[in-house]
Amino acid sequence: MRVPGPVKAVFDQFPLKEYPEISNHSAANERDVRLFVYNVGPDHIAMDPNGLAVQTLMKVLGKDVEVALGSPYMTKNEKLPLLVLSGGKRDGSGVYSGLDEILGFLVGEEEKLDGEMELFKVMLDKWLNEAWLATILSEDYEKQCLTVYSSDRDRSQPWPANRIITNQLLDHLGAQGRHRVVRHFNSHTTSMALHSLATKLGDAKFFSVGQLACGGNLGLLDILVYSYIWSIFKHIPNSALASLVPLSLSEHARRVHQYVYNSSE
Amino acid sequence: MGKENSITLNDRERQLLALKEYVTSLAGNNPNGKIEFVGVNVEGTGADKTRHRLLKAHALPLLAATTVDEVVAAANSVQTSLNSLDIYQDVMLSIDSPCPGQLTALINLPSAKRFLAQTGTSFGNGEGSGYIRCTAKNHFGLGEIFTVDTSVGTRTKSATLFQASAPLAGVLPLRWRAELLAYGAEKSVDWASHREQVRGATIRITSPKHTFGLDYVLRSLYASKVRPSATVRSQAGHATKYSAFYNWNYDSRNNAFLPTSGALVKVCNEVAAGDYPYLKTCVDFVRGFRISEKISMSISGRCGGLVPLNGQSHISDRFFLGGPLDVRGFRISRLGRNDEGDAVGGDAVMAGGLSLYAPVPRVSSPNLRLHAFINGGSVRPYGQGVLQTFSNMLSTPPSIATGFGLLYAHPAARFELNLTFPLTSHAGEQSHKGLQFGVGLSFL
């Protein structure tokens, strides 16, 4: 709309003088690439499978990253892990949330995933992810669930805050994935998925599927399978899900862990 | 809700003058003569439903009065304190003299509605809302009031409040109350791309001037953008706060929305522990003046500081400035630091404003006024110590705006429509040149 001349003349009598921006400490603090995950162990390794997968992938790709505690409410889509590249940008670019978006950014820089890798990725998302969530969300593993998915600060809040936080976290995790997670997973299909992975691995040390340019023998599938199997044996070793994991996959997970983090447990 | 306007106050003063003349006549037209109350009776539906101990505590000042001035002051005080209980409709007090030098008082206490359910809409402070409120009064005869209030609004998406309140007569001086509040609310904080959910409880004792209290609250902050600023990211999630606070309030203005005399001073102090511990203090003042018969002026200011005890303050605890209710000529809360497009407020605040009010030509309503103003302010982050923070603030120029417009002082709220002209601002702040509309209960 055109501003009438007399009104414009009045406004022009009051020119705006602009001073420099007020310094902002918080933006200056984010100099490094940061990966926000639910929780980290004493070894500074992410506890949940998705956070562990991204952290491992970044290490394999030789990208320096500072792993920090985050909250799923850091982004509107409520997805962790969250990757924030260095240097805050006003348009918010350089922020990637959720496993798929981060993989798209990291692997997209390397090369496109091939069809076989895509197939295994869908299988992991569908069967292993839901079996993992169904197990850790069951009442038997509430303590482990809170250890993996909430920070020490949240866990140490007094009643009733801790109860509210826990219920909200369980709701948030239950709503993850394509469907609302049911508390019982289908052990038959999960077992089939795990055995097809074991068959694919065979006697080889690594899957070498979804090959990464600087990943050596490791491929993306190695990292994704490792992140689930390692998390299962680390946090719910006595669960029904753990009993379904073939020996070759658990040995593979130990191998990948030693290869990437140079330590074995 | 605004205070009584000047006409109501004058009425009150006339009533007290008439009462004094009447009591003097009862004392044999000797203002210094000794008189005493030999009895105080209460009647009315409210009296039957209130415990004797509470009524006695409120009537006691009458029995202690022995001079005409004391009787007038006591009568005024008793009526005010009984009205302030908010459980009676309209307290009436009459004085009689059965024999020279002796007085009796009759207090009529019609009961207010003991159960009330209300629905309605309200607006102000930059948002509109609809509410349902249920109130139960004096069912146990202790002067207690229970309120449940739930509302939905444009900015405060939902809010629920349960409040239990009872007078402390007999334990503390009259007009002190104990209050217990449990609340939950979710509001949208558009200027910092998040929504905040609070759930908490407060216990406090209040008088017209003082409030002491303890608060426990769980704040949950949810980003409302996929890529919010670093500040919002770092504080997203849950944080608890335990705090002790003391507020002091002094209000001698003759009119809350268009003061021509008197002053308002509010002092807030808070010590908080929890995830973001801090010390906080804030002073607000407004002073009204009459310049001529038709023209008046008000000067107002705000000064406050927050010392974060673990290095960083929570965004909800910080000071924000900007908008039609404080620093006009800027968008709501858009003064101060800007982090990736989010206004993140500050730990120290200074603001001031000067407003001139004049009648609108050919309009007889005293509540509609022409309004000219100049206002400005600064919000800054906490630096290396309190002194350095305020010295930083004083060494950098504030953001200032001027303007003029129309003001309407409705008994329920003040309305302003101004043409605003920002004069100075800092890069990243969002000034507003043009028409700005404001509705609220308190303005800078």
Side-chain angles (χ1 to χ4, degrees):
Chain A
M1 195 175 76
R2 195 164 172 271
V3 179
V7 175
K8 188 174 182 307
V10 173
F11 278 111
D12 289 344
Q13 293 298 309
F14 298 92
L16 176 66
K17 184 174 181 183
E18 193 166 86
Y19 299 108
E21 190 165 12
I22 297 160
S23 69
N24 195 334
H25 299 303
S26 56
N29 286 343
E30 288 207 338
R31 282 191 299 270
D32 305 320
V33 178
R34 301 181 98 186
L35 176 68
F36 293 96
V37 297
Y38 287 99
N39 200 6
V40 292
D43 48 6
H44 299 287
I45 295 176
M47 286 188 166
D48 72 291
N50 290 351
L52 178 60
V54 175
Q55 185 180 2
T56 307
L57 179 61
M58 293 193 78
K59 195 162 170 61
V60 167
L61 295 176
K63 294 180 188 291
D64 272 345
V65 65
E66 183 191 334
V67 181
L69 292 186
S71 160
Y73 312 115
M74 296 169 91
T75 70
K76 189 183 180 183
N77 56 19
E78 299 191 359
K79 282 183 178 172
L80 282 184
L82 181 82
L83 183 66
V84 180
L85 303 186
S86 55
K89 293 186 179 65
R90 282 188 185 280
D91 64 356
S93 59
V95 179
Y96 301 90
S97 65
L99 180 66
D100 290 343
E101 198 173 304
I102 297 174
L103 287 185
F105 166 67
L106 291 174
V107 180
E109 280 187 351
E110 299 289 321
E111 57 188 78
K112 288 280 175 205
L113 297 179
D114 60 24
E116 187 183 23
M117 178 59 224
E118 286 282 10
L119 195 67
F120 279 115
K121 173 85 173 52
V122 170
M123 195 173 77
L124 288 172
D125 285 349
K126 176 67 190 160
W127 300 115
L128 212 47
N129 184 46
E130 291 194 3
W132 157 261
L133 283 174
T135 305
I136 203 146
L137 284 172
S138 65
E139 285 172 9
D140 296 344
Y141 297 104
E142 185 177 316
K143 195 177 163 200
Q144 286 87 338
C145 180
L146 294 179
T147 305
V148 171
Y149 286 105
S150 64
S151 64
D152 292 348
R153 193 182 88 177
D154 279 354
R155 286 200 304 279
S156 61
Q157 297 289 3
W159 185 90
N162 60 352
R163 210 53 247 170
I164 293 169
I165 293 169
T166 301
N167 289 339
Q168 203 168 15
L169 175 71
L170 296 177
D171 283 348
H172 158 76
L173 293 172
Q176 295 289 295
R178 288 178 178 75
H179 310 286
R180 200 164 179 83
V181 172
V182 290
R183 293 299 167 107
H184 302 286
F185 65 95
N186 186 328
S187 61
H188 177 65
T189 48
T190 307
S191 176
M192 277 176 58
L194 288 165
H195 278 94
S196 64
L197 283 168
T199 306
K200 173 68 185 169
L201 180 63
D203 294 331
K205 283 188 170 181
F206 301 111
F207 288 101
S208 301
V209 172
Q211 203 66 37
L212 303 163
C214 52
N217 292 324
L218 283 188
L220 184 58
L221 184 60
D222 288 294
I223 291 169
L224 295 178
V225 172
Y226 150 74
S227 67
Y228 279 110
I229 305 298
W230 185 262
S231 301
I232 290 167
F233 280 104
K234 182 103 176 163
H235 305 296
I236 44 173
N238 301 318
S239 63
L241 177 60
S243 69
L244 297 177
V245 178
L247 186 62
S248 61
L249 290 186
S250 61
E251 283 174 351
H252 167 266
R254 283 193 194 92
R255 215 176 291 132
V256 173
H257 189 81
Q258 193 169 19
Y259 183 87
V260 177
Y261 297 102
N262 202 22
S263 67
S264 61
E265 289 187 23
Chain B
M1 197 72 184
K3 279 186 61 167
E4 312 95 300
N5 60 30
S6 56
I7 295 168
T8 315
L9 269 185
N10 288 340
D11 279 350
R12 186 76 192 143
E13 282 163 6
R14 272 198 295 274
Q15 282 173 5
L16 290 176
L17 213 59
L19 178 65
K20 188 173 178 180
E21 282 173 16
Y22 174 63
V23 176
T24 307
S25 72
L26 295 180
N29 287 321
N30 177 10
N32 300 318
K34 283 282 175 197
I35 46 176
E36 63 170 343
F37 274 95
V38 291
V40 177
N41 298 313
V42 289
E43 63 172 23
T45 50
D48 303 338
K49 291 174 179 119
T50 309
R51 296 206 185 184
H52 177 73
R53 202 176 68 176
L54 180 66
L55 292 174
K56 190 179 167 188
H58 279 266
L60 223 49
L62 280 176
L63 296 171
T66 55
T67 64
V68 171
D69 285 340
E70 282 175 9
V71 167
V72 173
N76 184 34
S77 146
V78 167
Q79 201 173 3
T80 307
S81 68
L82 285 168
N83 271 322
S84 73
L85 287 174
D86 200 23
I87 55 174
Y88 306 119
Q89 193 104 41
D90 190 13
V91 177
M92 300 293 286
L93 189 149
S94 55
I95 297 174
D96 203 357
S97 176
C99 55
Q102 293 192 336
L103 302 176
T104 56
L106 178 66
I107 304 172
N108 185 24
L109 300 171
S111 179
K113 286 175 184 163
R114 298 178 78 202
F115 182 80
L116 190 63
Q118 295 168 286
T119 61
T121 54
S122 63
F123 52 89
N125 296 339
E127 75 166 311
S129 62
Y131 65 86
I132 300 173
R133 183 178 302 139
C134 297
T135 310
K137 293 180 177 178
N138 203 27
H139 282 264
F140 299 105
L142 297 165
E144 80 289 341
I145 299 175
F146 296 98
T147 307
V148 179
D149 197 325
T150 180
S151 66
V152 289
T154 52
R155 184 168 300 142
T156 304
K157 298 294 176 195
S158 65
T160 304
L161 169 74
F162 168 77
Q163 183 172 357
S165 158
L168 290 169
V171 183
L172 286 173
L174 294 178
R175 301 187 69 184
W176 281 86
R177 296 185 77 88
E179 295 183 338
L180 174 70
L181 297 90
Y183 55 88
E186 183 178 330
K187 64 178 179 182
S188 172
V189 186
D190 301 332
W191 51 87
S193 56
H194 69 270
R195 61 190 170 88
E196 187 190 26
Q197 205 169 40
V198 293
R199 304 171 186 91
T202 301
I203 183 163
R204 67 187 182 197
I205 52 172
T206 67
S207 78
K209 278 191 180 170
H210 308 276
T211 304
F212 297 89
L214 299 169
D215 189 30
Y216 167 69
V217 60
L218 171 67
R219 283 100 56 99
S220 305
L221 203 142
Y222 309 99
S224 57
K225 281 200 310 199
V226 174
R227 295 173 177 85
S229 64
T231 304
V232 173
R233 278 201 302 270
S234 70
Q235 301 197 348
H238 309 283
T240 46
K241 179 179 99 168
Y242 319 83
S243 70
F245 59 88
Y246 167 65
N247 300 334
W248 183 76
N249 190 55
Y250 168 81
D251 192 355
S252 64
R253 292 172 300 171
N254 57 345
N255 184 310
F257 297 143
L258 269 173
T260 54
S261 71
L264 166 76
V265 183
K266 287 199 286 189
V267 181
C268 313
N269 298 289
E270 193 177 12
V271 182
D275 295 316
Y276 294 88
Y278 62 84
L279 303 172
K280 187 178 185 179
T281 187
C282 182
V283 180
D284 282 74
F285 77 89
V286 180
R287 176 86 169 91
F289 301 94
R290 185 182 291 281
I291 294 177
S292 69
E293 194 186 335
K294 290 182 174 175
I295 298 176
S296 59
M297 182 177 87
S298 73
I299 294 175
S300 54
R302 177 176 302 159
C303 180
L306 183 157
V307 181
L309 299 178
N310 68 353
Q312 197 190 17
S313 55
H314 194 270
I315 193 167
S316 318
D317 299 322
R318 292 181 192 162
F319 297 103
F320 284 86
L321 273 185
L325 304 193
D326 43 57
V327 183
R328 303 170 188 89
F330 291 86
R331 296 198 186 276
I332 293 174
S333 300
R334 284 292 183 172
L335 253 67
R337 284 182 299 166
N338 181 302
D339 183 7
E340 298 172 52
D342 286 342
V344 294
D347 303 319
V349 65
M350 266 191 189
L354 189 151
S355 289
L356 276 173
Y357 311 107
V360 180
R362 279 177 265 180
V363 174
S364 59
S365 168
N367 294 330
L368 187 67
R369 285 278 189 269
L370 287 173
H371 174 221
F373 67 87
I374 181 162
N375 56 203
S378 299
V379 277
R380 294 286 183 275
Y382 184 75
Q384 307 289 318
V386 176
L387 285 177
Q388 202 227 3
T389 303
F390 278 94
S391 109
N392 282 348
M393 178 176 273
L394 294 171
S395 63
T396 50
S399 302
I400 300 173
T402 187
F404 59 88
L406 276 174
L407 176 158
Y408 181 66
H410 186 272
R414 172 166 147 173
F415 298 74
E416 283 186 9
L417 182 64
N418 294 311
L419 204 52
T420 59
F421 304 96
L423 301 177
T424 63
S425 79
H426 293 261
E429 294 179 338
Q430 289 187 10
S431 58
H432 178 86
K433 198 175 207 176
L435 281 174
Q436 194 170 38
F437 178 66
V439 187
L441 304 180
S442 64
F443 286 74
L444 189 69

